[in-house]
Amino acid sequence: MNKDIERILVTEEELHAISKKLGEKITRDFAGKKLLVIGVLKGSIYFLTDLSRYIDLPCHIDFIQASSYGDSTESSGVITITKDVDKDLSGFDVLLVEDILDTGNTLKYIHDMLSTRNAESISVVTLLDKPSRRKANIKADYVGVDVPNEFVVGYGLDFNQYYRNLPYIGVLKRSVYED
Ligand code: IMP
Ligand code: MG
């Protein structure tokens, strides 16, 4: 285990099982629809890669990126879009893929912005949910697993851009981000 990790919260095996279970459910729910999967960069890339291989339907894949001012472990409500989707959403049933729903500010902003663009529907799948931290009025349609109010990294999630490539989700030692 990485020396900066206090404990593992979600193992590689559990991550794989989550993608399989959610991918199979999404396959059933979106059958016959024109599916557009949109990953929220950068945190969702590992989850999107695993999840999409269990979505047994024709689909397009696109990405969007937002940045939020705030300190290093907490987002503020001030969001800017740094990379927009390439596709016209008209006629598509959109599935937004997030790494973690924390305050919900980022996803709420993205959801509201995309809602003006004539998609058939917009759904949300998040790998991790911290429901105790929610501020914005947004709920995921599909949740991998709820996590406690601790700062987690790995499998796409970062602290100061590091730790994304850990193959598991772990709790970061407080000493790494506190003096
Ligand atoms: P929100 O706007 O507060 O919901 O948080 C949005 C983004 O902050 C998430 O998509 C993550 O990229 C990041 N974030 C929130 N909590 C954590 C965490 O525990 N570890 C790593 N990134 C996090
Ligand atoms: Mg994110």
Side-chain angles (χ1 to χ4, degrees), residues 40-44 66 97-100 106 157-158 164:
V40 182
L41 292 172
K42 304 173 190 168
S44 72
V97 182
E98 250 292 26
D99 52 357
I100 185 166
T106 308
L157 290 103
D158 74 302
R164 291 193 198 275

Side-chain angles (χ1 to χ4, degrees), residues 29-37 57-60 87-95 119-121:
D29 292 354
F30 285 80
K33 296 187 170 170
K34 202 175 152 193
L35 175 60
L36 169 59
V37 176
L57 296 171
C59 71
H60 292 213
K87 290 212 75 69
D88 176 0
L89 306 189
S90 313
F92 281 99
D93 287 280
V94 169
L95 179 66
E120 289 294 312
S121 66

Side-chain angles (χ1 to χ4, degrees), residues 75 98-100 102-106 130 150-152 157-158:
S75 77
E98 250 292 26
D99 52 357
I100 185 166
D102 188 33
T103 64
N105 289 334
T106 308
K130 278 186 193 167
E150 291 177 286
F151 197 78
V152 295
L157 290 103
D158 74 302

